[in-house]
């Protein structure tokens, strides 16, 4: 059971509770909103958790924990769920029937969705609500605003971007900066990160965008005379962009090498034992996109991609291909499918940051 499937299962439990008269019909409208299911935080239990009971408490006219208990009785009967525990003020914690099966379903979901894994269908389109982003005529602000717009659109939000002046030609041609309109625009959300201390254009598009997006908005980018510009271009482990792109390229190399050995990836949860941290990072990708979009913080996505890449290279990468006289097995095919899911997430994330994800590096 994937997070999306679990979210739909929770929604069905809400509807059944309303049909049975245990919850007021008013909760249906609130429950129709996207139910967020994510990995448990500190104090949580099981494979996944949701705070939906806290969201529904007010329309239900009941304490959150009471709403959670009502839902837990129905969710415990659902196929694929082995147990439901209520913790804290009303958090629902799920233990799936087989965590390994859930990880296999997650890999299948990622490979099916491709670069759009973690995206949400356009929710704002029916209302016509548009988020207006505004940035000053400054290179970092424009690059950050464009990435924020991409993140918001990935979450189904309609976005327009504007700048007081016309972006410089080199920002457009080299860095890929784009704004929907210039000059006066309706009042909107101002995007004002700490300005770039120097011109990032000499770094080229990918390195420059990473140098501007990887630090948090309140941090100063590491460019200018006091920094070694080669740190953003060097192909070594100290460069986080290189690690992300190298890991992505390695996933494609593994697919090519496996083809030479006569096998392809196949989703099989038994081959993912020992890679739970990597699976958890992939499962967390939709939440990262949602949070980065809501907080207008592309740096959160950039750091997440570094974490996925580092975990992949440390644990999974050495175990995908057979060694010596070893023959390809179901476990190798399953690990290859997981590696391909990693490549999909890394490529999708880099694209949202406006950075190329090469298959060869």
């Amino acid at each position: 059971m994937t997070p999306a499937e679990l979210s739909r299962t929770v929604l069905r439990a809400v509807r059944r509770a309303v049909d049975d008269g245990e919850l007021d019909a008013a909760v249906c409208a609130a429950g129709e909103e996207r139910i967020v299911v994510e990995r448990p935080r500190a104090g949580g239990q099981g494979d996944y958790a949701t705070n939906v009971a806290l969201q529904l408490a007010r329309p239900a006219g009941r304490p959150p924990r009471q709403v959670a208990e009502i839902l837990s009785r129905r969710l415990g009967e659902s196929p694929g769920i082995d147990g439901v525990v209520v913790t804290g003020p009303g958090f629902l914690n799920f233990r799936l029937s087989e965590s390994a099966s859930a990880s296999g379903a997650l890999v299948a979901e990622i490979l099916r969705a491709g670069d759009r894994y973690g995206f949400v269908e356009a929710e704002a389109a029916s209302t016509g609500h548009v988020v207006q982003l505004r940035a000053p005529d400054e290179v970092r602000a424009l690059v950050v605003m464009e990435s924020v717009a991409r993140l918001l659109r990935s979450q189904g939000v309609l976005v327009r971007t504007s700048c007081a002046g016309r972006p410089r030609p080199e920002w457009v041609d080299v860095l890929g900066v784009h704004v929907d309109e210039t000059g006066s625009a309706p009042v909107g959300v101002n995007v004002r990160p700490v300005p770039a201390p120097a011109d990032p254009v000499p770094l080229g598009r990918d390195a420059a965008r990473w140098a501007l997006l990887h630090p948090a908005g309140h941090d100063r980018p590491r460019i200018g005379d006091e920094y070694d510009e080669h740190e953003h271009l060097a192909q070594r482990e100290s460069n986080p962009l290189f690690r992300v792109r190298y890991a992505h390229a390695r996933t494609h190399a593994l697919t090519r090498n496996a083809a030479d050995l006569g096998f392809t990836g196949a989703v099989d949860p038994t081959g993912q034992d020992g890679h739970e941290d990597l699976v958890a990072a992939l499962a967390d990708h939709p939440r990262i996109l949602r949070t980065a979009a809501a907080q207008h913080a592309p740096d959160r996505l950039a750091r997440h991609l570094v974490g996925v890449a580092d975990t992949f290279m440390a644990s999974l990468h050495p175990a995908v291909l057979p060694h010596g006289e070893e023959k390809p097995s179901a476990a190798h095919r399953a690990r290859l499918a997981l590696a391909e899911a990693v490549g999909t997430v890394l490529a999708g994330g880099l694209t949202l940051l406006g950075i190329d994800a090469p298959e060869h590096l």
Side-chain angles (χ1 to χ4, degrees):
M1 181 178 290
T2 67
E5 292 168 339
L6 184 54
S7 177
R8 290 191 289 270
T9 299
V10 174
L11 180 56
R12 286 194 293 270
V14 171
R15 290 171 176 164
R16 289 202 307 272
V18 171
D19 291 341
D20 293 344
E22 286 201 75
L23 290 178
D24 191 275
V27 305
C28 270
E32 290 297 335
E33 298 180 7
R34 188 165 181 262
I35 294 174
V36 177
V37 174
E38 56 191 13
R39 292 290 180 179
R41 301 181 183 180
Q45 302 179 28
D47 299 302
Y48 291 100
T50 180
N51 65 349
V52 65
L54 281 72
Q55 298 172 0
L56 300 181
R58 177 170 292 182
R62 293 172 178 263
R65 193 171 181 91
Q66 193 176 98
V67 175
E69 294 289 355
I70 291 172
L71 296 178
S72 68
R73 291 195 294 272
R74 287 166 173 78
L75 289 164
E77 303 168 353
S78 301
I81 296 179
D82 199 37
V84 183
V85 177
V86 179
T87 59
F91 293 101
L92 287 162
N93 297 259
F94 306 97
R95 186 176 69 256
L96 303 183
S97 298
E98 295 182 22
S99 295
S101 295
S103 67
L106 174 68
V107 171
E109 179 186 1
I110 294 171
L111 296 177
R112 182 172 58 250
D115 291 353
R116 293 180 63 83
Y117 169 62
F119 282 31
V120 176
E121 294 302 320
E123 298 172 345
S126 60
T127 65
H129 175 66
V130 178
V131 172
Q132 181 75 45
L133 299 179
R134 290 181 56 80
D137 188 15
E138 189 275 323
V139 62
R140 189 187 187 198
L142 290 170
V143 170
V144 170
M145 178 176 69
E146 185 194 34
S147 292
V148 170
R150 291 173 187 244
L151 285 163
L152 287 169
R153 288 170 182 141
S154 80
Q155 299 304 295
V157 179
L158 299 178
V159 185
R160 295 283 295 176
T161 60
S162 63
C163 175
R166 187 176 298 277
R168 298 180 191 177
E170 61 268 29
W171 297 351
V172 175
D173 297 337
V174 178
L175 304 183
V177 166
H178 169 79
V179 294
D180 296 319
E181 54 188 307
T182 57
S184 60
V187 176
V189 178
N190 288 315
V191 179
R192 289 180 176 272
V194 172
D199 181 13
V201 170
L203 294 173
R205 173 170 176 151
D206 293 335
R209 291 183 71 95
W210 183 269
L212 298 176
L213 295 171
H214 182 247
H218 54 75
D219 291 333
R220 191 168 182 255
R222 295 174 59 84
I223 57 175
D225 294 339
E226 61 189 285
Y227 300 107
D228 179 6
E229 70 175 22
H230 296 291
E231 73 174 88
H232 297 295
L233 301 172
Q235 295 194 23
R236 56 177 181 242
E237 288 189 5
S238 60
N239 180 355
L241 174 59
F242 169 73
R243 298 207 304 273
V244 172
R245 302 214 302 176
Y246 180 72
H248 171 262
R250 287 306 304 161
T251 65
H252 287 275
L254 290 171
T255 298
R256 294 192 297 270
N257 293 339
D260 291 340
L261 295 174
F263 74 98
T264 58
V267 175
D268 183 348
T270 60
Q272 293 162 16
D273 293 342
H275 305 292
E276 290 80 5
D277 288 347
L278 181 58
V279 172
L282 297 180
D284 205 31
H285 187 67
R287 184 187 67 83
I288 294 294
L289 295 187
R290 187 169 61 250
T291 303
Q295 297 182 0
H296 299 171
D299 58 287
R300 293 182 65 96
L301 173 59
R303 292 194 298 274
H304 171 66
L305 297 180
V306 174
V308 170
D310 288 349
T311 304
F312 163 72
M313 292 301 298
S315 66
L316 181 64
H317 179 261
V320 173
L321 299 177
H323 295 280
E325 299 300 319
E326 189 180 10
K327 300 296 184 183
S329 65
H332 291 112
R333 288 189 285 273
R335 292 173 200 146
L336 178 59
L338 180 56
E340 290 170 342
V342 169
T344 298
V345 166
L346 294 178
L350 287 171
T351 299
L352 287 172
L353 297 177
I355 296 173
D356 185 39
E359 296 185 7
H360 299 265
L361 197 64

